[in-house]
Amino acid sequence: MNHLDRSDPDLLKKLLKRIRVYAGPPLTIMEVCGTHTVSIARMGLSTLLPEGVSLLSGPGCPVCVTPIEFFDEAIYLAREKNVVIATYGDAMRVPGSGATLLEVKAEGGQVHPVYSTTDALNLAIKNKDREVVFLGLGFETTAPTVAHALLTAKKQRIDNFSVLSAHKVLLPAMEALLLDPEVKVNAFLCPGHASMVLGWRCYEELASKYGVPSVVAGFEPHEILLGINMLLAQAKSGGVHVENAYPKAVSEYGNTAALDILGGVFKKVDSNWRGLGLIPGSGYDLADDFAKYDAREKFLKGVEIISAEPAGCRCADVLRGVIPPAKCPLFASRCNPKAPVGACMVSSEGACGAHYRYREA
Amino acid sequence: MRELISELFIRNFSNPYLDKLNDFAAVTIDSGRIALSTDSFVVEPWSFPGGNLGDLAVCGTVNDISMSGATPLYLTCGFILPEGMPFDDLEEIVGAMARRAKESGVQIVTGDTKVVEPGAGPFINTAGVGAIPAGVTIGGEMAKPGDAVIVTGAVGSHGIAVLSKREGLTFSTDVISDCAPLNKIVASLINNGIIPRVLRDPTRGGVAGALNEIAAQSRVEIEIDDTKIPLEEGVRSACEMLGYDPLHIANEGCMLAIVAGEDEEKALKIIRGCKYGERAASIGTVAGGQPRVTARTLLGTKRLVDPPSGELLPRIC
Ligand code: SF4
């Protein structure tokens, strides 16, 4: 038997106290990962931080950073090409320019929420007479599983399966933020999940080049508080290192097998991010050997899709940590989880959604 | 087939009212006030870890009636079955209903069956009637500042158990549904002199949905404590993986009991002594102020607790 939050209360108290007595140079910490955002919002940490220390959410929520044209492509495929769309559930509610996949499903379109790529492959095996397109979203965390599914499809000749890829490479986006004059971040709380694949060493170049203390942290409340403590200690001593506060899951060089699969199936391309724009080498497209399983090659050649971001939505600024969600004029008024205007309110991991759900009473 | 089905029902549900084979059941109730309730049960898949559609159809209506403080007595049931449904499957559902009826002391006194095109259902509607003991008034509008909020079991198990078996969403978990009749717990409270102000089984919408309803009905603030909500480890990890809030997940075998502050300890003790109440916990209090639900976070700050908005969809990891 357990409770909603299982961290040891005494340990939490100790860690929080150490954060609250911090006296050192101001630090703006970006938590890069959406799961961290949720956990931080849920425990109500932001209001307890000492003067000069702030936490901002970064581009770590997969559906949030995926640009609107991707959802328009998926909607086009479901409506015009009559394909079966298999997708992680939270992508279904993200607004495209005119509709959401959930609405397309309600119209009678074939849109299936799946939990894993295995489920998507099974859908293709069961529906041999239909084309099944899996929406490949997310960072190095999810991309290897999609790569694995593509290898399986190729080996077993599941030729009615394809992937519409919007997979993202994490590090170029973190660098783009550091180069953005509007972004004031000077420390990173690095993601736990993506780091399991990437390893903690990978942040070293960024940390030393830009002088940003970086700590990889786990997801439990005490693990997050520990990570923040380590960042504050670095800031106070003037040090800049990459530290691993999540050694039980994250190794120095990560999951090399997963990285190998990734490299074999995908190629790095310039990629458009919601909020961050086009970033060189920041996306994964299917490698040429897998063109047969690339939904863009298969269905979207020569198709022009015109997309328009929802008016007034400040997701672009939220995702860069330029403003906290509450500073968006639509936050909690016109935009809320029941009627989300932008992607950041849709996903359970989106900064706006997390801040709304766990807003201070 | 028709004969087979009615034979199956009579064999499983047999009681003096049903066995007469009339289109109605004439029953006796010696009470001033009665509680009536009906619900239709559609669950996909119809069988899930810890139960099946039949368990839900009986427990659901038994629990709805019990939330008034009434002793549930008689149920009716209507089956809507897909043509060609394997007889063994139907037998499994009916068997579960019979067991649950026996366990909760109700009789299924009349019923109906319709067969529809293959692929739909199976669906079951049950309606029920119960006798409210004299002097008992329980309702969502009766919570008062100073009351204590108790939950009788770990939350979120039913929703996660069903989800884990839904087609296309297979994930492995050892979570089983909490589906269970709660009438014995309610009777124990009342027989031991505790009349709760509010009882509610947090089915769809979960604990957060139910508490928000009560806060609105009673025009009070309900403040819970994040660190006190009982939860199975499997539910916690599944929620983490899927991006769900355990307070939004459906339950079928626990309830929220709001009791006067001075009754809190005694009520907890009584509930914990009952089957299905072993894990009861006090999770919060009722306060004055604007109608809303808040939670003490584990760092001691206070946050709002919203009801779930729309269908729960698993997220990308
Ligand atoms: S609150 Fe809504 S409109 Fe504003 S940035 Fe967030 S998602 Fe966009």
Side-chain angles (χ1 to χ4, degrees), chain A residues 1-4 6 12 42-43 63 88-90 93 114-115 119 126 142 337 349 356 358-359 361, chain B residues 167-168 170 226 229 231 233 236 241 243 245-246 279 297-298 302-304 306 309 311 314-317:
Chain A
M1 174 58 58
N2 239 293
H3 290 95
L4 211 52
R6 63 174 172 187
L12 281 172
R42 171 151 207 152
M43 64 178 139
V63 301
Y88 300 119
D90 55 356
R93 269 201 287 254
V114 292
Y115 180 64
D119 291 332
K126 267 201 207 152
T142 48
E349 294 214 301
Y356 183 89
Y358 301 126
R359 65 202 182 283
Chain B
E167 197 188 359
T170 44
D226 265 351
I229 317 282
L231 199 66
E233 176 55 27
R236 205 184 69 87
M241 180 171 81
D245 189 327
R279 290 160 172 183
T297 70
L298 89 160
K302 197 168 156 180
R303 66 176 178 87
L304 284 173
D306 285 337
S309 50
E311 195 188 339
R315 64 140 192 224
I316 302 168
C317 171

Side-chain angles (χ1 to χ4, degrees), chain B residues 155-174:
Chain B
V155 309
S157 307
H158 177 72
I160 293 298
V162 170
L163 201 67
S164 72
K165 288 290 167 288
R166 193 159 291 171
E167 197 188 359
L169 291 176
T170 44
F171 60 92
S172 61
T173 173
D174 51 7

Side-chain angles (χ1 to χ4, degrees), chain A residues 312-315 318 325 328 330-331 335 341-345 352:
Chain A
C313 171
R314 307 256 326 250
C315 273
V318 171
C328 168
L330 305 187
F331 180 80
C335 182
V341 175
C344 306
M345 186 59 87
C352 300

Side-chain angles (χ1 to χ4, degrees), chain A residues 210-289:
Chain A
Y210 298 93
V212 277
S214 303
V215 172
V216 176
F219 301 102
E220 299 288 338
H222 69 270
E223 292 171 331
I224 292 175
L225 295 188
L226 176 67
I228 294 172
N229 263 296
M230 288 163 79
L231 285 171
L232 294 178
Q234 285 194 40
K236 204 167 168 185
S237 69
V240 173
H241 328 275
V242 179
E243 288 180 282
N244 182 11
Y246 197 28
K248 71 176 185 204
V250 173
S251 64
E252 190 169 357
Y253 295 104
N255 183 340
T256 43
L259 288 168
D260 284 348
I261 294 189
L262 201 54
V265 175
F266 288 105
K267 60 181 180 200
K268 284 190 185 168
V269 293
D270 300 349
S271 178
N272 196 20
W273 294 56
R274 192 193 302 264
L276 284 71
L278 192 74
I279 305 174
S282 71
Y284 287 113
D285 262 2
L286 274 64
D288 300 341
D289 285 355

